[in-house]
Amino acid sequence: MTTLQTIQQSIAHELALLDEVMRKQLATSNPLMDKVIDNYLQAKGKLIRPIIVILTAKLFSGVDSKVLAAAASVELLHNASLIHDDIVDQSPTRRGRPTVNAVWDNHIAVLVGDYFVTSSMQQAISTDDVRIIEALCHLGKLLSLGELDQIYNARYHTLTEEAYYRIINYKTASLFVACARMGCYACGIGDHRVETLSRFAELLGMCFQIRDDIFDYFDDEKIGKPTGNDLREGKITLPLLHVLLKLQDEEMIRLSQAETLTDQDIDRLVRYTCTNGGIDYAYDRMNAMRREAVGLLTANFPESEARDNLIELFDYVISRKN
């Protein structure tokens, strides 16, 4: 059993209730929509984001209907973004199963994604807490800005770590931060602990994306994308970025910014990254973030199963294999 499975098992009851909330929210009178949604829900993700909401709430109190609605809202919005991403990327599979756009078509996939967005909003509104609603709306803005920043950087070759961290903060860590804030708000928490947990979640989310970016440098069927996929799309992520900035090799900088890359180019950039310490540097950054995050939790919250699970979740994110 993996660390994540252990955490999931410890909150199995809450996750079962969350599943009921989401299925009830997504149910329609339209046979086609119900079929598409049921097929989509067959392949559940890791549920890391709603787990953060639940564990954050458990730091303060039990998990009630307000916490579950907050968790459902952010998971539904996350899934909406994945459905829309698959359309843009023309992805045939996700989580080992055909995507909505592959099974049906882009038109239906867009409508299903939109339905998830509005369902997400309905769950947030059902909490009757304007802070939760605002957190969800702000999240939607950041997710869009993160994608646009990434497109801009890929086109105009912005090679700075600051720009990289801003992108992953918007496109990935913002989801984790929203989860922590919602978990706090659902329990009536509005003091300094909200910011403490927000910073913890931000660090966790950035590590999640850095680990995802490391996958691009290794060939593994479990990951679900070919080696160098990010490079083919013009995305220069932390491992290669660090090496380019450190060595200032003009030839390799030009190659990394080429309009199109051959398989040989990809292989050359991957080997260049790995042999010059790019992967090691990315792990060093993740471990530094973990130290800060664990320090925040241990200094501000008493020992509990929820606190231990949040720390274990951080370890899982750094060590995960897919």
Side-chain angles (χ1 to χ4, degrees), residues 76 79-81 83-84 87 108-118:
L76 289 168
N79 278 276
S81 71
I83 293 170
H84 286 153
I87 298 167
I108 290 176
V110 167
L111 294 173
V112 172
D114 290 347
Y115 185 70
F116 270 74
V117 171
T118 53

Side-chain angles (χ1 to χ4, degrees), residues 153-172:
N153 283 2
R155 289 183 180 178
Y156 297 100
H157 312 303
T158 306
L159 293 178
T160 67
E161 282 198 29
E162 180 183 8
Y164 170 80
Y165 285 124
R166 183 176 64 251
I167 289 171
I168 68 171
N169 206 317
Y170 282 5
K171 66 174 285 188
T172 303

Side-chain angles (χ1 to χ4, degrees), residues 99-275:
T99 56
V100 176
N101 52 291
V103 175
W104 283 274
D105 57 35
N106 285 350
H107 186 189
I108 290 176
V110 167
L111 294 173
V112 172
D114 290 347
Y115 185 70
F116 270 74
V117 171
T118 53
S119 296
S120 167
M121 289 302 304
Q122 285 185 300
Q123 281 298 308
I125 291 168
S126 75
T127 66
D128 199 29
D129 191 324
V130 70
R131 297 173 303 176
I132 290 175
I133 298 168
E134 195 281 330
L136 189 74
C137 292
H138 185 60
L139 169 61
K141 289 174 61 177
L142 292 181
L143 291 176
S144 298
L145 287 172
E147 289 297 328
L148 287 169
D149 275 354
Q150 184 164 268
I151 292 169
Y152 178 89
N153 283 2
R155 289 183 180 178
Y156 297 100
H157 312 303
T158 306
L159 293 178
T160 67
E161 282 198 29
E162 180 183 8
Y164 170 80
Y165 285 124
R166 183 176 64 251
I167 289 171
I168 68 171
N169 206 317
Y170 282 5
K171 66 174 285 188
T172 303
S174 62
L175 264 163
F176 290 67
V177 172
C179 291
R181 300 186 83 88
M182 288 180 178
C184 290
Y185 297 150
C187 295
I189 304 301
D191 57 28
H192 70 279
R193 291 173 292 181
V194 177
E195 300 309 320
T196 298
L197 286 166
S198 293
R199 177 57 178 167
F200 171 88
E202 180 183 26
L203 293 163
L204 178 63
M206 288 195 292
C207 279
F208 188 92
Q209 186 59 55
I210 293 171
R211 183 68 185 99
D212 227 36
D213 292 342
I214 290 173
F215 287 141
D216 201 50
Y217 298 86
F218 299 93
D219 188 15
D220 191 331
E221 292 181 1
K222 294 180 181 179
I223 297 170
K225 66 177 184 179
T227 304
N229 192 60
D230 289 338
L231 291 170
R232 285 184 176 86
E233 295 177 0
K235 302 172 186 174
I236 299 178
T237 55
L238 187 61
L240 174 57
L241 177 61
H242 168 70
V243 175
L244 292 175
L245 293 174
K246 180 178 71 172
L247 299 182
Q248 292 294 315
D249 185 322
E250 292 297 330
E251 180 185 356
M252 296 306 290
I253 290 175
R254 284 195 299 271
L255 179 62
S256 70
Q257 297 175 344
E259 288 294 323
T260 58
L261 293 170
T262 66
D263 289 343
Q264 290 75 22
D265 293 334
I266 295 292
D267 182 61
R268 186 181 177 191
L269 286 168
V270 168
R271 285 188 285 106
Y272 178 73
T273 300
C274 294
T275 57

Side-chain angles (χ1 to χ4, degrees), residues 42-106:
Q42 293 298 317
K44 291 181 182 177
K46 300 178 180 71
L47 298 176
I48 288 177
R49 293 148 192 90
I51 286 173
I52 294 171
V53 179
I54 291 169
L55 292 179
T56 299
K58 287 173 78 71
L59 287 173
F60 305 108
S61 61
V63 174
D64 59 12
S65 59
K66 188 171 181 178
V67 173
L68 292 174
S73 71
V74 75
E75 181 65 5
L76 289 168
L77 185 62
H78 170 57
N79 278 276
S81 71
L82 297 182
I83 293 170
H84 286 153
D85 283 349
D86 289 339
I87 298 167
V88 173
D89 297 337
Q90 300 180 24
S91 301
T93 61
R94 179 175 289 277
R95 300 166 184 160
R97 295 174 63 90
T99 56
V100 176
N101 52 291
V103 175
W104 283 274
D105 57 35
N106 285 350

